[in-house]
Amino acid sequence: MTSENRSDLIPDTEKTNFIRDIINEDLRSGKYTKIITRFPPEPNGYLHIGHAKSICLNFGIAEDYKGVCHLRFDDTNPIKEEQEYIDSIKEDVRWLGFDWGEHEYYASEYFHTLHEWAIFLIKKGLAYVDDQTPEEIRINRGTLTEPGVNSPYRERSIEENLELFERMKNGEFAEEERVLRAKIDMASPNINMRDPIIYRILHAEHPRTGKEWCIYPMYDFTHGQSDAIEHITHSICTLEFENHRPLYDWFIEVLPVPAEPHQFEFARLNLTYTVMSKRKLLKLVKDKLVNGWDDPRMPTISGMRRRGYPPEAIRNFCDKIGVAKANSTVDFAMLESCIRDELNKTADRYMAVLDPLKVVITNYPENQEDWFDADMNPEDPNAGTRKVKFGKELYIDREDFMENPPKKYFRLAPGAEVRLKHAYYVTCTDVIKDAEGNITEIHCTYDPESKGGSSPDNRRVKGTIQWVNAKEAVTAQVNLYDKLFTEENPDRTDEGKTFIEYMNPDSLTVIKNAKLEPALKDIPNDKAVQFIRLGYFIKDKDSKENALIFNRTVGLKDSWAKIQNKN
RNA sequence: UGGGGUGUAGCCAAGUGGCUAAGGCACCUGCCUUUGGAGCAGGCAUUCGCAGGUUCAAGUCCUGCCACCCCAGCCA
């Protein structure tokens, strides 16, 4: 091996984890002079936040070390895989902000090489065709504590194996009738080494190779070799493959592969109040317990996109949670914090009310109107300002008025004065009710001196609430989301329940009659905004010109709710 | 009961024998505020799963123990 020290490639970064330590060492020692990683999804479902961790790790390393990251579809099981998933995966990786350039690969492109390598193994006496039934194979594999027993077909001649494997390939056998196995050690304490199956018969059409094959290589016979073919230097996967590493290394050792990749394992991401297994997510979709893979309550990348999570926030989250080998469950609040942090810096502010309560400013002249300058984002002076129009009749949120307020309630109440954001101070003078005693309207007076939101006498007004002008407000549907599960760990089984039974019946609240500042009507679909005091929102893809729909991405931190919960 | 892993705060997570155990989330004070948002200041592990041992010095090394996770698909 030529040994060139490329420690110059080691990035100056605060990101630190055991994988980067290994890479740094490999660069210093001259083991590698260029880093090549890969993200290897199986196209059998949509990507979720757990995949985002792997994507950020693999593509992030490639970026930082001036290397490349391949996007490789692990498409060895045509029964579960579909083109729809391939398309969604590419869209999601791209949306997260990563670029695989020309390096888009498919394990299925290597089927011919893999097939040749299988024959190579047979010729070396290191693989054989087994005629046992699945049941027999299972029984003879032994258990965790007992060794397996050799297949009666284990010592077939190389010629017979070659012929049988050829006939398998030619479609002469039914599924489950025969398999090709590596001949390793049926007594190995590592079950993966007990003559693992490397080829099975599947009379299924493949999304990419069509009907060309009826035998398909297993994951273990595919992954490492694909890594070798692509000259991957660091093949990073999750912990459950740790037991497979000896097998990975065995194939690399024994086969005439063009490179010697190495596998490293890290702990997959778990998040509180959500499930991450593709099987479970698929069930939620298939059983229509959610509205598709991109339901904003789903932990899928597409769900988060529709929910309004910015890709930068997801990437930042992946950086913050770190990469280690200990199983862990990250607090959902950590993700939300990253979302708010990003949105606080970037989202323009607008005013909206979710549950409109009419306010009449009794001393405001009938035909007067005021235009106020409202800052788009107090965090970003460059965001500029917009004009908002004030009027005699407004809407405020019903939550922002209480007839009998508790202590420390800073909002509107009879006799209380509040600031209407960007506009005037108002004081509540009357409460109007219907026959049932429901509050239908409140009357206020305004202080003309407080124009713009501050008064010459500098008197303190504790509360500031948002409002919209009744005359020009636009009506919209607003979707509020809560956790999909009520249980921190929906995967728990100790109560004898399934994850479905932990679903939160109130995970979606649809508000039909929200009133919005008119400017919101023309907001682009992918532009995140803040509704002042209510949270961050994004226009839903089903939103129409005359049927606006906004999804709440995440609420603002609510210290008032916290105070109330204490009492 | 075989093999492979992992244990640092409520949750992530640095730490590679040597100054007072990083940082973030959450939480708690106080300040500030035209969003009860944001921001600012401070607090929050006498101790690193437990017990021994080595050393002038141990979260880091050694021994033993405990707990949890993964593996018996012709899934990946």
Side-chain angles (χ1 to χ4, degrees), chain A residues 81 130 296 313 339 348 351 453:
Chain A
E81 296 152 8
D130 196 348
I339 305 303
D348 284 340
M351 294 198 288

Short mmCIF file of all heavy atoms in Angstrom, two decimals, chain A residues 81 130 296 313 339 348 351 453:
data_model
loop_
_atom_site.label_atom_id
_atom_site.label_comp_id
_atom_site.label_asym_id
_atom_site.label_seq_id
_atom_site.Cartn_x
_atom_site.Cartn_y
_atom_site.Cartn_z
N GLU A 81 -39.44 -4.11 -2.59
CA GLU A 81 -38.94 -2.84 -3.07
C GLU A 81 -39.72 -2.26 -4.25
O GLU A 81 -40.21 -2.99 -5.10
CB GLU A 81 -37.44 -3.00 -3.41
CG GLU A 81 -36.66 -3.32 -2.14
CD GLU A 81 -35.39 -4.14 -2.37
OE1 GLU A 81 -35.02 -4.35 -3.53
OE2 GLU A 81 -34.79 -4.57 -1.37
N ASP A 130 -27.73 -26.14 -1.13
CA ASP A 130 -28.38 -26.92 -0.08
C ASP A 130 -29.82 -27.22 -0.50
O ASP A 130 -30.55 -26.31 -0.89
CB ASP A 130 -28.36 -26.12 1.24
CG ASP A 130 -28.66 -27.03 2.44
OD1 ASP A 130 -29.09 -28.18 2.22
OD2 ASP A 130 -28.46 -26.57 3.58
N PRO A 296 -47.98 15.23 8.44
CA PRO A 296 -47.07 16.05 9.26
C PRO A 296 -46.79 15.51 10.66
O PRO A 296 -45.89 15.98 11.34
CB PRO A 296 -47.81 17.39 9.35
CG PRO A 296 -48.64 17.44 8.10
CD PRO A 296 -49.09 16.02 7.90
N ALA A 313 -32.51 22.82 10.13
CA ALA A 313 -32.76 22.48 11.53
C ALA A 313 -32.54 20.99 11.77
O ALA A 313 -32.02 20.59 12.80
CB ALA A 313 -34.19 22.86 11.91
N ILE A 339 -35.68 23.15 15.76
CA ILE A 339 -36.64 23.72 14.82
C ILE A 339 -36.91 25.18 15.16
O ILE A 339 -36.85 26.07 14.31
CB ILE A 339 -38.00 22.95 14.88
CG1 ILE A 339 -37.81 21.45 14.66
CG2 ILE A 339 -39.00 23.53 13.89
CD1 ILE A 339 -37.15 21.06 13.39
N ASP A 348 -40.49 35.10 8.91
CA ASP A 348 -41.13 36.41 9.00
C ASP A 348 -42.34 36.32 9.92
O ASP A 348 -43.02 35.30 9.96
CB ASP A 348 -41.58 36.87 7.61
CG ASP A 348 -40.41 37.37 6.77
OD1 ASP A 348 -39.36 37.71 7.36
OD2 ASP A 348 -40.55 37.40 5.54
N MET A 351 -49.54 38.38 11.85
CA MET A 351 -50.53 38.25 12.92
C MET A 351 -51.71 37.41 12.48
O MET A 351 -52.16 37.49 11.32
CB MET A 351 -50.98 39.62 13.39
CG MET A 351 -49.84 40.39 14.07
SD MET A 351 -50.39 41.75 15.09
CE MET A 351 -50.92 42.93 13.85
N GLY A 453 -47.77 51.97 19.62
CA GLY A 453 -47.52 50.98 20.65
C GLY A 453 -46.74 51.48 21.84
O GLY A 453 -46.29 50.69 22.67
#
